[in-house]
Amino acid sequence: MPGRILIVEDSPLVTDAFRVLFTEAGYEVDAAATVAEAIERGSAEPVDVMLLDISLPDGSGLEILTALRARNSLPRATLAMTGHNDSKSRRSCIDAGCVDVLLKPVPIGELLRQIERHLA
Amino acid sequence: MTMSGQHDPAALERRILALLQQADEAQRTIDELQSRDALKTQFLSNVSHDLRTPLAAIITHAEILRDGMLGELNARQKESVTGIVNGGQQLLDMIDEILTYVRSASDQISLVRTEFSLAELADQVRVLNQSLAAKKRLTIERLNGDDLPPVYADRDKIKHVLGNLIGNAIKFTNDGGRIWISFWRYGQEGDEVCVEVGDTGRGIAPNHYELVFREFAQVDASPSRPHHGTGLGLAIARKLVELHSGRIWVESELGKGSRFFFTLPLNPPRD
């Protein structure tokens, strides 16, 4: 297995699409739809790459990073995904510890390349 | 003795009361219209955001199929799935344009200014649009700008403006035409830069120079118009330029081409 990916995304439609993509690419895939669920999944087992949607029903995706850092369970790399591309939200993601910020929907080729790069 | 109506204090009072009442009603109407406008803006924002999510899923699934991750497709299947991806992408671009407009119209956009080279940014936008231009055998050139001092502006927003102007130039210029980007110092003290995006396209009639910058306005608004879009691109571009205290305008001749100009201050604003 090339690695374990945690998809944090509140839309089951988007999660399903990613699940197909990453499973086909050979990754082990886990998913969470809320901040609480992501903290639980992220600290239960080590995560290589976390794909993080920023706006979640019970709070900001960035809270997950704070909680996982406190539990010493930060993923090797966290890629934030946002619906709008503005410098301000990008900066807050990078400041919170994301390695990159991607604009949804990310073309799958680029997404897979990014993940491979951070797992290398 | 009777007083004339003009000097009758009671009549005057009645008149004042009536005017006050009218002013009150007018204010209520304004308040109601403003609150309806805010509701409509919120609605537009919510709907656009909600449309984006399933569309993102559709595009991702279609890309998975197109790229053969679930098994190789034959040429016809691949062409069809590529059509889903491209159509979805076009729809997504339109939704994003509506979202950007809603955010700019409700003053939710703030600038993050940095120093950067306009010439480099123009080259980046040129490269991004190269494949689209090549399909119509259009050339995009940057004519000058290497010696221009850096501007102090929001790079992403100016990239959006340049992208919009070049995108329009590609859309409205016939096969084999020319598109160019050029810069010069502007303003009385040379403390501004003027950016030009020109093309040899179909041009705009003088009575439409203002109309093209208005939201939802399209010179050809008929359902059979050859170029579809939200009609928001230039309204957003104007808003973004004005947020930088700049100006945007067009000079054009029908059948010959258009030249869009916008200005930006070269130095940080003095507070």
Side-chain angles (χ1 to χ4, degrees):
Chain A
M1 280 284 172
R4 181 165 181 262
I5 297 182
L6 175 61
I7 305 163
V8 184
E9 163 66 59
D10 65 333
S11 158
L13 283 173
V14 174
T15 303
D16 285 350
F18 282 152
R19 203 188 278 279
V20 175
L21 172 67
F22 298 134
T23 308
E24 286 304 318
Y27 291 98
E28 190 188 329
V29 183
D30 200 356
T34 61
V35 171
E37 210 181 324
I39 295 170
E40 189 217 310
R41 305 299 311 150
S43 41
E45 261 183 87
V47 173
D48 294 302
V49 173
M50 177 160 72
L51 274 187
L52 188 61
D53 182 11
I54 299 303
S55 57
L56 293 167
D58 56 342
S60 158
L62 299 181
E63 293 166 29
I64 299 165
L65 284 169
T66 315
L68 290 181
R69 186 174 289 119
R71 287 168 168 74
N72 224 359
S73 306
L74 272 183
R76 281 170 66 190
T78 299
L79 290 164
M81 297 183 298
T82 68
H84 47 83
N85 184 17
D86 69 82
S87 331
K88 223 179 189 172
S89 59
R90 194 160 58 221
R91 193 173 292 174
S92 61
C93 290
I94 299 293
D95 288 348
C98 298
V99 290
D100 210 341
V101 185
L102 309 170
L103 185 65
K104 282 201 285 187
V106 193
I108 60 167
E110 192 195 328
L111 188 56
L112 292 174
R113 266 195 304 280
Q114 285 267 5
I115 290 173
E116 267 170 44
R117 189 160 69 89
H118 291 294
L119 286 179
Chain B
M1 196 170 80
T2 56
M3 295 174 89
S4 76
Q6 272 181 334
H7 300 105
D8 179 352
L12 201 60
E13 199 181 321
R14 276 199 301 279
R15 180 84 188 115
I16 291 170
L17 276 174
L19 283 172
L20 283 173
Q21 206 176 351
Q22 274 176 21
D24 231 33
E25 274 166 23
Q27 189 56 51
R28 269 202 301 277
T29 310
I30 291 170
D31 289 348
E32 196 184 320
L33 285 174
Q34 276 173 343
S35 99
R36 279 192 202 177
D37 191 44
L39 267 178
K40 208 161 77 178
T41 303
Q42 189 58 46
F43 170 76
L44 209 53
S45 170
N46 291 348
V47 169
S48 309
H49 189 265
D50 290 350
L51 286 172
R52 222 180 171 284
T53 304
L55 189 54
I58 291 171
I59 293 173
T60 304
H61 276 298
E63 284 181 325
I64 293 169
L65 284 174
R66 181 199 60 190
D67 293 358
M69 294 189 74
L70 302 178
E72 278 309 310
L73 304 184
N74 67 35
R76 283 171 56 217
Q77 288 167 334
K78 195 163 182 167
E79 193 183 333
S80 176
V81 176
T82 303
I84 299 175
V85 174
N86 293 346
Q89 195 58 52
Q90 201 177 329
L91 192 54
L92 191 75
D93 289 344
M94 286 163 71
I95 291 172
D96 283 346
E97 203 158 82
I98 295 174
L99 273 169
T100 307
Y101 168 73
V102 168
R103 294 174 68 226
S104 72
S106 51
D107 292 323
Q108 288 176 33
I109 289 190
S110 53
L111 299 182
V112 180
R113 294 179 202 251
T114 52
E115 258 189 16
F116 63 90
S117 152
L118 265 179
E120 264 176 42
L121 183 70
D123 285 343
Q124 211 183 77
V125 177
R126 199 162 55 93
V127 170
L128 281 173
N129 283 280
Q130 207 66 64
S131 64
L132 210 58
K135 278 186 195 155
K136 294 177 78 176
R137 293 185 296 107
L138 301 171
T139 58
I140 311 178
E141 299 165 88
R142 174 167 68 80
L143 303 183
N144 56 17
D146 287 328
D147 51 352
L148 206 65
V151 287
Y152 187 71
D154 188 318
R155 198 173 183 282
D156 288 345
K157 309 289 187 293
I158 301 306
K159 189 176 171 188
H160 187 106
V161 174
L162 272 172
N164 174 268
L165 295 180
I166 291 177
N168 280 346
I170 293 173
K171 208 188 235 183
F172 294 109
T173 303
N174 285 336
D175 287 19
R178 271 183 65 228
I179 296 167
W180 63 91
I181 308 163
S182 141
F183 308 95
W184 59 85
R185 297 292 283 265
Y186 194 74
Q188 279 183 340
E189 292 165 28
D191 51 358
E192 288 174 81
V193 59
C194 183
V195 184
E196 172 187 350
V197 175
D199 65 59
T200 56
R202 63 156 78 165
I204 298 163
N207 58 330
H208 289 145
Y209 287 180
E210 261 305 301
L211 176 84
V212 294
F213 291 104
R214 257 186 249 157
E215 45 273 272
F216 304 113
Q218 292 192 327
V219 172
D220 180 359
S222 65
S224 60
R225 66 194 190 278
H227 302 286
H228 290 263
T230 57
L232 288 171
L234 285 172
I236 294 170
R238 174 163 72 178
K239 186 83 189 177
L240 296 180
V241 169
E242 286 175 352
L243 274 173
H244 286 85
S245 313
R247 230 159 47 80
I248 187 167
W249 71 97
V250 62
E251 291 170 14
S252 178
E253 203 177 327
L254 269 181
K256 294 251 171 92
S258 302
R259 298 166 72 195
F260 281 84
F261 302 90
F262 66 93
T263 62
L264 285 177
L266 280 170
N267 303 309
R270 283 175 226 133
D271 292 323

